[in-house]
Amino acid sequence: MRARVSVIGAGMVGGNCAQRLAERGHSDVVLLDIVEGLAQGKALDILESLPVVGSDADVVGTSSYDDVAGSDIVVVTSGIARKPGMSREDLVLTNMRIISDVCENVARVAPQSIVIVVTNPLDAMVQLALHTTGFARERVIGQSGILDTARLKAFIAMELGVSVTSVSANILGGHGNSMVALPRLATVGGVPLSELLPPERIDALVQRAVNGGAEIVGLLKTGSAYCAPSAAAVSMVDSIVLDRKDVLPCAVQLKGEYGMTDVVVGVPVKLGAAGVEQVYELALLEDEMAALQRSADAVRQTVAFMGFQ
Ligand code: APR
């Protein structure tokens, strides 16, 4: 039997998630948006593409949470992106209202679901989703590190002229400027990156990855990245639906790991049918640990501004 995956928000990220999921064929897909007709139109368009790609997934577009009922996984992409003239605080408060509303509904109609949050500011929104749904941390997971590391892997592969599948890289921390890249642990086919590139080139690639979202916004001008974010979120769904137990960098609430409690940051986790099945603690150097603490402090500040706990 196919799993049931709901995608909340039928904008650029949500629409792309729905398309990628439907093409996989392992899940039936529900796409929900408050804008009447948007989810219905995108879902129908996706459904009509499936005979071409050979998938029998069902795809439903809706504005009603009745259709989300019984979902195994809910991917939350609803929210607004920052517009010119809008302060970061305005963005946080607007997305906070949206995520609260969405998560109340998800907890009501799909109380057993695993929630994957994509909306920014990511780590604070995961914390809010935990608070609103009341779900255990194993079932509320943020998409962040897969995207950030994918950007770094793409740049390393381009620089060295190697397959992206040969590159391994780690990024921890909050999904923002304070993210903590660990190039010391990056490898290419098992060879340490530090043996293949000089430190200044590695720094430049890391900086490009850290600024990856802004680089895309600068080019698109009227929107933000959606291809890589949707690919990252769907890879989390794959690992859960197929119980693949991939070890992926995801935003989860720490409970003593890395010496921190109750803050959400990106760390490597095992994703399987139960959601987060294990949190991995890397042995960090002193400066790496200090950077992770600073990143967690930035997340705590946003959460404090939002005024819940
Ligand atoms: N319930 C359901 N959908 C909602 C709600 C709500 N309460 N509020 C807003 N939406 C919908 C909007 O109608 C819109 O279609 O969320 C969608 C967001 O889509 P886009 O504006 O295209 O934004 P997108 O680029 O998809 O980014 C969504 O993902 O990567 C992050 O930073 C990004 O926070 C942003 C989110």
Side-chain angles (χ1 to χ4, degrees):
M1 212 170 78
R2 274 190 287 272
R4 187 177 185 78
V5 180
S6 291
V7 179
I8 311 299
M12 298 309 290
V13 177
N16 256 256
C17 282
Q19 181 181 357
R20 289 178 190 279
L21 283 167
E23 290 185 356
R24 299 286 212 272
H26 56 47
S27 303
D28 290 329
V29 181
V30 176
L31 184 59
L32 181 145
D33 204 287
I34 42 165
V35 176
E36 196 57 46
L38 180 64
Q40 290 86 341
K42 287 198 179 184
L44 185 59
D45 195 15
I46 293 168
L47 191 77
E48 290 167 358
S49 75
L50 298 186
V52 182
V53 299
S55 165
D56 288 309
D58 189 24
V59 187
V60 171
T62 185
S63 299
S64 166
Y65 278 91
D66 291 349
D67 295 302
V68 175
S71 294
D72 301 291
I73 300 178
V74 179
V75 182
V76 179
T77 75
S78 48
I80 58 160
R82 195 160 149 186
K83 301 192 176 62
M86 182 183 246
S87 72
R88 186 177 145 75
E89 283 71 22
D90 288 342
L91 174 83
V92 171
L93 293 176
T94 302
N95 283 352
M96 179 179 169
R97 279 189 288 273
I98 292 171
I99 297 305
S100 294
D101 167 57
V102 167
C103 287
E104 275 170 24
N105 281 297
V106 169
R108 179 173 57 80
V109 301
Q112 304 304 325
S113 61
I114 293 171
V115 176
I116 296 174
V117 180
V118 184
T119 304
N120 280 312
L122 191 271
D123 308 88
M125 291 300 150
V126 174
Q127 188 86 50
L128 176 62
L130 278 160
H131 175 78
T132 310
T133 58
F135 292 180
R137 72 159 177 169
E138 287 75 16
R139 293 200 287 128
V140 182
I141 318 160
Q143 182 292 117
S144 54
I146 303 171
L147 169 62
D148 297 326
T149 51
R151 286 179 170 144
L152 181 55
K153 288 178 193 175
F155 301 146
I156 292 170
M158 278 195 290
E159 179 90 2
L160 293 173
V162 300
S163 165
V164 291
T165 61
S166 297
V167 183
S168 168
N170 277 290
I171 296 183
L172 307 183
H175 184 51
N177 292 340
S178 69
M179 71 178 77
V180 183
L182 300 173
R184 156 179 91 80
L185 301 177
T187 59
V188 178
V191 180
L193 183 62
S194 56
E195 292 180 16
L196 300 171
L197 285 175
E200 59 277 12
R201 277 313 298 155
I202 295 176
D203 283 350
L205 300 181
V206 166
Q207 265 321 305
R208 191 173 175 197
V210 171
N211 296 324
E215 185 178 3
I216 302 278
V217 170
L219 291 165
L220 294 180
K221 298 192 176 62
T222 55
S224 53
Y226 57 92
C227 293
S230 63
V234 168
S235 75
M236 295 167 70
V237 176
D238 285 342
S239 193
I240 295 168
V241 169
L242 304 174
D243 194 23
R244 222 163 53 189
K245 306 194 190 298
D246 290 328
V247 178
L248 299 165
C250 298
V252 294
Q253 188 179 46
L254 298 183
K255 291 217 172 290
E257 298 91 355
Y258 298 91
M260 292 185 239
T261 299
D262 290 341
V263 66
V264 172
V265 288
V267 291
V269 303
K270 186 204 291 179
L271 282 190
V276 173
E277 297 185 352
Q278 192 171 341
V279 175
Y280 294 87
E281 279 191 85
L282 294 167
L284 298 179
L285 302 178
E286 207 171 304
D287 58 329
E288 294 167 342
M289 193 61 206
L292 186 61
Q293 299 271 13
R294 282 196 299 277
S295 190
D297 284 345
V299 174
R300 283 195 189 96
Q301 271 175 23
T302 306
V303 171
F305 170 76
M306 287 160 68
F308 70 92
Q309 259 302 1

